[in-house]
């Protein structure tokens, strides 16, 4: 068990470009979450999956954001037509939900996105 | 609207003293509350979980209390050490929902 892995660690892009991040959760975990965090703030929920099903998406998430978890294992988060306001740390977390008791989250180290 | 509030001002404390952090929430009925530690450039790391029917939880030098009447949790670090310097986040899991919602975090600086 190597924990939650996120790639890349850093991404610098120009405004208007598309970017994609990858998250590999802990192998036996069925839940996978994406959060966004800006400096001095707590993580902000974006979306989460139970296996391959996307169960909830934040109302704050624009249509430019899309996430997938095709086989219930790794997940990708894509941001289309990036804007400077998208600059943030994107965190992935996983957990094991058992009998509707979803407890602690295990986070990756995040992908730091800078949009120039 | 639902809010989770933590003191945004950094807490400076002398080594060996007890650090006490506050987490207040409004318009929530949380099933449980969690505390995480976050170091710069890293993801949060789970520390403690306390359920709505529990008053207090301890783990080594850490203690958490949960008062659902006051809608408040207190997080204590006893005998603080410089290595405890980090940002501490509280997070709530709503009874009816499945996502964990975080407060803004409080930065703690323990001086030797």
């Amino acid at each position: 068990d190597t924990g939650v892995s996120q790639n890349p660690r850093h991404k610098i892009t120009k405004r208007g470009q598309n970017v994609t991040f990858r998250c590999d959760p802990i192998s036996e975990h069925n839940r996978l979450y994406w959060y966004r965090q800006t400096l001095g703030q707590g993580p902000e929920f974006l979306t989460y999956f139970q296996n391959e099903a996307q169960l909830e998406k934040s109302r704050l998430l624009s249509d430019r954001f899309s996430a997938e978890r095709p086989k219930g294992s790794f997940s990708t988060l894509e941001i289309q037509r990036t804007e400077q306001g998208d600059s943030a740390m994107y965190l992935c977390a996983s957990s094991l939900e058992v009998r509707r008791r979803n407890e602690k989250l295990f986070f990756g180290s995040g992908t730091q996105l800078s949009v120039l | 609207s639902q809010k989770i509030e933590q003191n945004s001002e950094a807490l400076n404390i002398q080594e060996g003293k007890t650090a006490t952090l506050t987490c207040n929430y409004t318009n929530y009925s949380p099933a449980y509350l969690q505390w995480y530690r976050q170091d710069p450039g890293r993801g949060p790391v789970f520390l403690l979980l306390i359920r709505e029917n529990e008053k207090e939880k301890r783990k080594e030098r850490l203690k958490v209390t949960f008062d659902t009447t006051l809608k408040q949790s207190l997080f204590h670090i006893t005998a603080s050490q410089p290595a405890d310097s980090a940002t501490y986040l509280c997070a709530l899991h709503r009874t009816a929902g499945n996502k964990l919602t975080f407060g803004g975090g409080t930065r703690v600086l323990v001086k030797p």
Side-chain angles (χ1 to χ4, degrees):
Chain A
D1 179 6
T2 57
V4 178
S5 175
Q6 289 190 249
N7 288 289
R9 288 280 282 125
H10 303 274
K11 179 70 179 178
I12 300 173
T13 191
K14 292 184 179 178
R15 191 176 53 184
Q17 298 294 305
N18 298 345
V19 293
T20 300
F21 311 139
R22 177 178 169 123
C23 172
D24 288 89
I26 293 171
S27 57
E28 65 269 24
H29 284 183
N30 51 7
R31 287 266 174 102
L32 187 147
Y33 301 78
W34 286 100
Y35 285 82
R36 175 172 62 190
Q37 186 176 28
T38 53
L39 201 60
Q41 303 296 315
E44 175 190 26
F45 171 80
L46 295 178
T47 187
Y48 87 95
F49 294 82
Q50 169 100 3
N51 300 313
E52 66 275 9
Q54 188 172 16
L55 295 188
E56 187 173 348
K57 190 173 172 180
S58 169
R59 283 171 286 178
L60 302 174
L61 207 59
S62 88
D63 292 341
R64 297 183 295 104
F65 287 70
S66 62
E68 293 183 342
R69 194 182 183 198
K71 296 183 180 179
S73 57
F74 74 92
S75 175
T76 57
L77 177 68
E78 181 183 18
I79 308 174
Q80 296 181 327
R81 304 181 302 283
T82 52
E83 301 172 358
Q84 287 184 327
D86 297 331
S87 296
M89 173 79 86
Y90 289 83
L91 292 163
C92 175
S94 69
S95 69
L96 180 63
E97 191 262 352
V98 176
R99 290 196 295 271
R100 298 181 62 82
R101 287 168 62 113
N102 175 26
E103 300 192 353
K104 60 186 178 183
L105 269 58
F106 293 81
F107 281 86
S109 293
T111 294
Q112 182 65 52
L113 173 66
S114 298
V115 181
L116 305 178
Chain B
S1 63
Q2 298 165 333
K3 282 186 181 179
I4 303 171
E5 293 182 334
Q6 295 185 253
N7 193 341
S8 58
E9 285 185 23
L11 178 64
N12 292 299
I13 190 163
Q14 202 65 35
E15 183 177 7
K17 300 292 186 184
T18 297
T20 298
L21 284 64
T22 304
C23 175
N24 295 299
Y25 60 92
T26 55
N27 298 321
Y28 266 102
S29 296
Y32 52 75
L33 186 147
Q34 302 185 25
W35 284 87
Y36 287 77
R37 169 185 172 138
Q38 187 173 25
D39 292 288
R42 312 294 295 182
V45 175
F46 171 80
L47 294 175
L48 279 166
L49 178 153
I50 187 165
R51 302 186 189 285
E52 59 183 333
N53 60 350
E54 297 174 322
K55 296 291 185 186
E56 182 178 299
K57 228 19 171 343
R58 291 176 184 259
K59 178 183 173 183
E60 298 172 353
R61 295 183 295 108
L62 307 179
K63 184 178 88 170
V64 171
T65 62
F66 193 10
D67 189 327
T68 54
T69 302
L70 290 178
K71 296 187 184 295
Q72 181 182 79
S73 174
L74 298 178
F75 177 81
H76 306 272
I77 308 171
T78 58
S80 58
Q81 303 168 0
D84 295 327
S85 299
T87 295
Y88 291 86
L89 299 156
C90 78
L92 300 180
H93 175 199
R94 292 181 298 152
T95 303
N98 289 291
K99 67 186 182 191
L100 204 56
T101 303
F102 285 83
T106 298
R107 185 161 168 257
V108 173
L109 180 60
V110 182
K111 297 181 179 179

